[in-house]
Amino acid sequence: MRLNQWLAAGCVVAVTIGLSACSSTSSGSSSSGTSAGTTSAPAVSNLVVETSFVLKTVDPARMFEPTGLMIDHVLYDTLLTYKGSNVSTPVPDLATSYTASADAKTYTFTLRQGVKFANGDPVTASDVVFSLMRTKNINGNPSFLMAGITATAPSANTVVLTSSTPNTAIPAILTNPALGIVDQSKVVAAGGSDAANAATADKAEASLNTTSEGSGPYTLTSFSTTTQVVLTANPNYWGPKPKYGKIIIRNVEASIQKLDVLRGESQIAVDLSPTQAQGMSGVQIVNGASPNLFFLLTNDNPKVSKVTSNPKFQEAVRDGINYASLVQLAGTGAVQATGIIPTMFLGSLPTGSGATYNLTQAKADLAASGVGHPTLNLVYPSDIQVNGISFGTLAARVQQDLQQVGINVQLQGQSIQVALNSYRGGQEAMGLWYWGPDFPDPADYLNFLPGALVGLRAGWVKGADPSLEALGNTASGTTQNSTRETLYQQILRSMNTSSPFMPLIQPAQILVGATSLKNLQSNALWLVDLSELG
Amino acid sequence: MSSASVTEPAVPRPRTGARHRDLRRFLLQRLGTGVVLLIGITLVAFVVTHLVPGDPAAANLGQRAIGDPAAVAAFRHQYGLDRPLPVQYVVYLKNLLHGNLGISEQSHRPVLTDLAEYIPASIELALFAIVLSTVVGVGLGVIAAVFSNRWPDNVIRVVSLAGVSMPIFWVALVAFYLLFFKLGWLPGGGRLDPTQNPPTHLTGLFTVDAAVHGQWALFWSALRHLVLPGLVLAIYTVGVLTRFTRASMLEIMGNDYVRAARLKGLPERVVILRHVLRPALVSIITVAGVAFGNLLSGTVLVENIFSWPGIGQYAYHSAINLDLPAIMGVSLFVALVYIVVNLVVDLLYGVIDPRIRLS
């Protein structure tokens, strides 16, 4: 039958075309091996990094997203920085040394000599002042880092930061890539401004998303908020030359990152959860606790809830949560939060000193509270994950634990944008949230105290705990690290006994890399330092 | 003489000039309707977006910046959110007339620039998928109709049912795992290999741009990257088109004029292709048009799995960030897609069936 012959011929042609399209492997993929289940060293000095982009810009004065932090860290030098995974002590970067006044209000930095921007211009104190004041005055996401701080340049080699209040966190704050130093002349030429009206006057973002104007180990080659960002090694970099001549950072969903790194299509996968990383072979896995902190809040404002503001009820919740089961749920690498300050920061409490699960005590607390067996809504963002942990999963486990205490929790998962409104407005009776560090210093966690940013979200108003607030004031003005550590630990112990916050877990932060990579380390601030890789 | 002219009374053909006038009037009417529809879409998108109990400032500012009134005020001023809602809408429409869709709150770039970057990627993928699915779907539908209730038909019906039944994200993950990870036959995500730079920009369709500029290595890479997401997207549409083609053809095959054509001794190939498939194409094109619109505007999951930087991903990120200008821009684009696709489908009716053109 002729029709049949035609159809048969069509099938043969289709199969032939299909097979020829499939016949060659990913030969164009340059930098990496392609055999399944193995990873190999790049043939050329290219590095492919895959992450789920949280990226809006790489203009340091406007950037404050995880992917942006990772990129800007290698595009822009900062006065101080951290090496590897150690975020306890800032080390010199553009500043070779600094001194702090006894009242923690004045910091004087001496700049490194002979440093040049990627374009060959020398880095001067004027560039530093311009960069810091631009970030401050743009009123963008990272502007709070410079709140109350003024930068001046008394000499070509010296920068002075003056704070209106004692600020012991300034050295830690200055490590943030949002305070990266840009070339003033080039940024001004592109419409940049550090003036008081920079929020409206500065027009340099588009330019900085095309050409980086920094002195870091890499320069920006191409930028897209959804596809990939390409970096090229800076030939004028003053420090150790980075190993990779070109870094391609691709926006890839986590489950695909796993397959790509296993096939050698990429060398680093940033966003795998403990479950996804489990059982992977032929790769190196860097697994440690993340500085992100999941916590539960029980609103202290009786107008929001007479139940959750009851101190005995708060104790019942604190005692009634099975922290070990939450850690198990979060997977290998996760740890119980011993307090609101993550375990890797100064002032945190040692492992094992967090709240403990005691069901009998929790039931006794609930009985003593006199609220009976209340039914409460637990609000959480249902459409986001942090370090691969879903809020919904965690909330369900909390619900289960509190059910045994006698507290009926109704899960109220909401879109993050909706949930944020009630959370930031201090209107949630119970909420499940997380806090990521703005800078790796315990001062960042003073936000949880009564009357402060997060404290108010839990209805914890100023004057609610005068002794704790006094401790906080003392801690914020103390410069001695050993004294600071003692003070912050006192704060945490007090909050672990009585506060509307119940710190739950720090999830695992996992990096999966090709075995050929050397010095792959996880960093609490910028995930991974791409310039340190060997 | 076609069988249509045997069964249908002859319709007097209008003069060429009159036909052109009619076509012009038809196009103008559709254009006017389209403009009204687009304005309506902007209003609906604007109102619905503002009904969501969320705050764009909260969605886009960090946890510290949202606590800073100066930062919040700067954000609201920058995106015009400090004005009354009716004023915001009127300003939007005014800017729209000048081709200004506003600045995206997530990318900090003009929405038009964003759309110009993402739309070509979606068009390229959708075109690949619709061509593939039309060829395969209609082909399978014809075979199924010709061999109705025999084993080829049974096999094709099962295959097409599977095509429309399987969740697309699952198909995407399985295809990625098998064809990329296990077998290595096709590349993984993205439009090109990681270390390749895009071809010289002309249309934004990488295969076209690379071919036009003779960048054959890039062309081959772009084509190979299209295959996997294109196949996944095509599976559902193939299923739908196969079922529609089969059903339409079987309905037409029962008509007297088809029997008459066979009795006249016309070859079976001519009967099937000219007297059965051609009239069936009217409904097939309708389905294919809608499918193309869907492919162009609703491929979020596939784009996400294959790291395809298309309009679906942009729409998704716009929605979760409450990025009003971007949401409006995407809504306008989607509306425009359906308006244009419907117009093209209507015009194709006339090409396929002269009776429609004449009436």
Side-chain angles (χ1 to χ4, degrees):
Chain A
M1 191 176 174
R2 288 175 68 187
L3 184 62
N4 281 357
Q5 288 165 354
W6 277 46
L7 294 170
C11 289
V12 169
V13 170
V15 168
T16 308
I17 291 171
L19 287 177
S20 70
C22 296
S23 59
S24 62
T25 54
S26 51
S27 54
S29 172
S30 60
S31 67
S32 40
T34 53
S35 60
T38 62
T39 54
S40 57
V44 290
S45 61
N46 290 331
L47 177 75
V48 179
V49 180
E50 293 189 339
T51 181
S52 299
F53 276 16
V54 186
L55 178 66
K56 293 182 178 178
T57 177
V58 285
D59 175 354
R62 292 181 167 84
M63 176 280 311
F64 207 63
E65 295 82 32
T67 312
L69 289 164
M70 179 171 66
I71 294 168
D72 273 0
H73 174 64
V74 293
L75 293 180
Y76 297 95
D77 283 327
T78 45
L79 288 178
L80 301 173
T81 189
Y82 294 109
K83 288 293 175 197
S85 58
N86 184 348
V87 291
S88 60
T89 314
V91 297
D93 197 10
L94 277 183
T96 53
S97 62
Y98 72 92
T99 57
S101 66
D103 62 359
K105 286 185 174 178
T106 307
Y107 289 77
T108 306
F109 297 85
T110 305
L111 296 189
R112 192 179 297 277
Q113 295 291 292
V115 177
K116 288 182 176 174
F117 288 107
N119 59 31
D121 291 351
V123 177
T124 66
S126 174
D127 292 313
V128 176
V129 171
F130 173 82
S131 304
L132 300 184
M133 295 309 288
R134 180 170 175 265
T135 299
K136 175 181 180 175
N137 290 328
I138 270 180
N139 280 335
N141 269 335
S143 296
F144 76 93
L145 293 169
M146 288 291 293
I149 302 172
T150 304
T152 53
S155 78
N157 198 30
T158 310
V159 173
V160 175
L161 265 62
T162 311
S163 174
S164 54
T165 56
N167 191 342
T168 52
I170 282 181
I173 287 172
L174 288 174
T175 63
N176 196 300
L179 297 176
I181 307 308
V182 299
D183 185 338
Q184 178 180 8
S185 62
K186 293 291 186 294
V187 174
V188 168
S193 168
D194 69 338
N197 66 343
T200 51
D202 185 277
K203 308 289 180 195
E205 183 183 10
S207 170
L208 287 166
N209 282 338
T210 308
T211 309
S212 55
E213 299 293 359
S215 58
Y218 285 90
T219 59
L220 185 66
T221 304
S222 71
F223 171 76
S224 161
T225 54
T226 55
T227 319
Q228 64 179 29
V229 177
V230 180
L231 313 175
T232 306
N234 170 10
N236 286 328
Y237 184 53
W238 56 272
K241 299 296 176 202
K243 177 178 176 182
Y244 295 96
K246 188 175 177 183
I247 297 178
I248 300 119
I249 303 161
R250 302 175 76 200
N251 181 20
V252 175
E253 198 252 332
S255 58
I256 304 301
Q257 288 176 35
K258 175 177 177 174
L259 300 183
D260 281 352
V261 77
L262 281 173
R263 265 197 73 82
E265 192 88 353
S266 71
Q267 282 72 57
I268 299 179
V270 175
D271 303 305
L272 301 196
S273 69
T275 314
Q276 286 169 321
Q278 205 168 21
M280 287 177 77
S281 59
V283 289
Q284 55 174 315
I285 299 174
V286 178
N287 189 352
S290 155
N292 294 321
L293 180 95
F294 282 94
F295 63 90
L296 197 65
L297 70 84
T298 50
N299 206 302
D300 208 53
N301 183 352
K303 287 180 184 166
V304 173
S305 170
K306 285 193 170 60
V307 175
T308 60
S309 58
N310 184 315
K312 277 290 177 190
F313 172 84
Q314 293 174 354
E315 282 180 38
V317 172
R318 187 172 290 108
D319 292 333
I321 291 171
N322 187 341
Y323 300 94
S325 82
L326 295 183
V327 171
Q328 192 184 21
L329 182 73
T332 310
V335 297
Q336 181 187 345
T338 53
I340 52 159
I341 299 177
T343 49
M344 65 282 287
F345 295 159
L346 179 86
S348 60
L349 292 172
T351 308
S353 50
T356 49
Y357 174 53
N358 186 337
L359 184 57
T360 313
Q361 184 61 46
K363 286 179 176 174
D365 292 336
L366 187 65
S369 72
V371 298
H373 295 287
T375 298
L376 294 157
N377 289 335
L378 174 62
V379 179
Y380 60 91
S382 56
D383 52 355
I384 62 166
Q385 293 192 343
V386 174
N387 296 106
I389 305 294
S390 149
F391 281 81
T393 312
L394 214 52
R397 191 61 68 90
V398 168
Q399 178 190 42
Q400 191 182 325
D401 289 347
L402 295 184
Q403 185 72 44
Q404 292 182 18
V405 179
I407 301 167
N408 299 313
V409 171
Q410 292 185 338
L411 300 185
Q412 205 168 78
Q414 296 176 348
S415 153
I416 176 77
Q417 309 312 345
V418 177
L420 273 174
N421 267 359
S422 56
Y423 168 54
R424 288 172 171 166
Q427 295 304 309
E428 288 174 1
M430 285 182 83
L432 177 64
W433 287 94
Y434 91 103
W435 180 269
D438 299 312
F439 45 86
D441 188 273
D444 191 33
Y445 295 85
L446 294 175
N447 281 303
F448 282 76
L449 295 190
L453 182 75
V454 190
L456 288 173
R457 291 172 182 173
W460 214 18
V461 294
K462 198 169 182 176
D465 191 337
S467 61
L468 186 66
E469 291 162 52
L471 263 178
N473 287 335
T474 311
S476 69
T478 304
T479 53
Q480 256 317 317
N481 271 351
S482 56
T483 315
R484 293 179 80 210
E485 182 164 28
T486 308
L487 287 167
Y488 280 109
Q489 287 184 342
Q490 282 180 343
I491 290 170
L492 296 194
R493 287 197 182 93
S494 169
M495 289 181 70
N496 282 353
T497 309
S498 170
S499 81
F501 295 106
M502 294 86 202
L504 301 177
I505 57 164
Q506 291 172 238
Q509 182 164 303
I510 291 174
L511 283 176
V512 176
T515 49
S516 57
L517 289 177
K518 301 280 186 296
N519 201 28
L520 179 63
Q521 296 185 62
S522 172
N523 184 283
L525 212 54
W526 41 76
L527 302 172
V528 55
D529 187 339
L530 300 173
S531 66
E532 285 184 345
L533 294 168
Chain B
M1 184 189 288
S2 75
S3 55
S5 62
V6 172
T7 54
E8 296 292 329
V11 180
R13 290 173 67 87
R15 290 196 309 271
T16 307
R19 271 192 286 150
H20 284 172
R21 270 199 304 278
D22 289 344
L23 182 63
R24 201 161 43 237
R25 194 184 313 127
F26 170 74
L27 289 175
L28 283 173
Q29 275 175 353
R30 296 296 293 263
L31 193 67
T33 313
V35 169
V36 173
L37 198 59
L38 284 177
I39 292 172
I41 292 286
T42 62
L43 183 62
V44 171
F46 187 85
V47 171
V48 169
T49 310
H50 281 90
L51 285 177
V52 176
D55 179 5
N60 288 279
L61 290 178
Q63 54 188 356
R64 294 295 295 272
I66 195 67
D68 177 3
V72 175
F75 180 87
R76 291 193 190 287
H77 179 71
Q78 184 180 356
Y79 294 102
L81 300 171
D82 51 356
R83 299 171 179 179
L85 280 184
V87 176
Q88 286 182 41
Y89 182 65
V90 171
V91 169
Y92 181 82
L93 285 184
K94 201 171 133 191
N95 290 337
L96 190 61
L97 287 176
H98 294 91
N100 178 1
L101 296 178
I103 304 290
S104 163
E105 292 158 12
Q106 50 171 331
S107 71
H108 302 179
R109 298 193 306 176
V111 171
L112 209 54
T113 308
D114 282 348
L115 293 178
E117 182 179 318
Y118 299 119
I119 287 172
S122 286
I123 289 179
E124 189 171 37
L125 184 57
L127 278 175
F128 182 88
I130 198 68
V131 169
L132 184 68
S133 44
T134 304
V135 170
V136 177
V138 173
L140 290 178
V142 170
I143 296 172
V146 169
F147 295 97
S148 175
N149 291 323
R150 286 150 66 189
W151 71 264
D153 180 32
N154 293 336
V155 170
I156 290 170
R157 281 159 69 187
V158 170
V159 169
S160 65
L161 185 64
V164 296
S165 309
M166 289 187 295
I168 199 158
F169 73 92
W170 180 81
V171 174
L173 286 172
V174 170
F176 192 92
Y177 182 75
L178 280 178
L179 297 177
F180 162 67
F181 183 67
K182 276 292 175 193
L183 301 172
W185 288 358
L186 290 166
R191 297 179 75 186
L192 291 172
D193 291 327
T195 51
Q196 287 179 315
N197 293 321
T200 313
H201 186 83
L202 184 67
T203 62
L205 278 62
F206 283 3
T207 45
V208 174
D209 291 357
V212 167
H213 293 103
Q215 297 164 309
W216 297 111
L218 282 180
F219 171 80
W220 183 236
S221 177
L223 185 63
R224 294 181 68 250
H225 279 82
L226 266 174
V227 173
L228 202 42
L231 271 176
V232 169
L233 283 177
I235 282 176
Y236 176 81
T237 317
V238 163
V240 172
L241 283 174
T242 301
R243 293 161 72 82
F244 256 86
T245 306
R246 178 183 178 277
S248 303
M249 286 187 62
L250 286 178
E251 190 182 331
I252 292 165
M253 282 163 90
N255 285 348
D256 290 342
Y257 75 84
V258 175
R259 276 196 290 275
R262 282 194 175 117
L263 288 172
K264 279 169 63 183
L266 288 178
E268 185 65 10
R269 175 175 56 85
V270 175
V271 173
I272 294 295
L273 296 183
R274 191 180 298 171
H275 297 292
V276 179
L277 181 58
R278 186 168 179 175
L281 280 178
V282 172
S283 56
I284 294 169
I285 281 174
T286 309
V287 175
V290 173
F292 183 62
N294 290 342
L295 287 172
L296 206 47
S297 59
T299 59
V300 179
L301 290 172
V302 172
E303 286 186 3
N304 197 29
I305 289 168
F306 291 102
S307 308
W308 197 266
I311 198 72
Q313 288 219 54
Y314 185 62
Y316 171 71
H317 286 112
S318 307
I320 61 170
N321 284 298
L322 286 182
D323 184 351
L324 180 62
I327 292 170
M328 301 279 280
V330 171
S331 304
L332 277 174
F333 168 71
V334 173
L336 199 61
V337 163
Y338 281 101
I339 288 169
V340 171
V341 164
N342 281 323
L343 180 62
V344 170
V345 166
D346 284 352
L347 292 175
L348 282 177
Y349 288 160
V351 173
I352 293 164
D353 189 340
R355 291 170 302 175
I356 296 175
R357 185 166 65 228
L358 295 175
S359 64

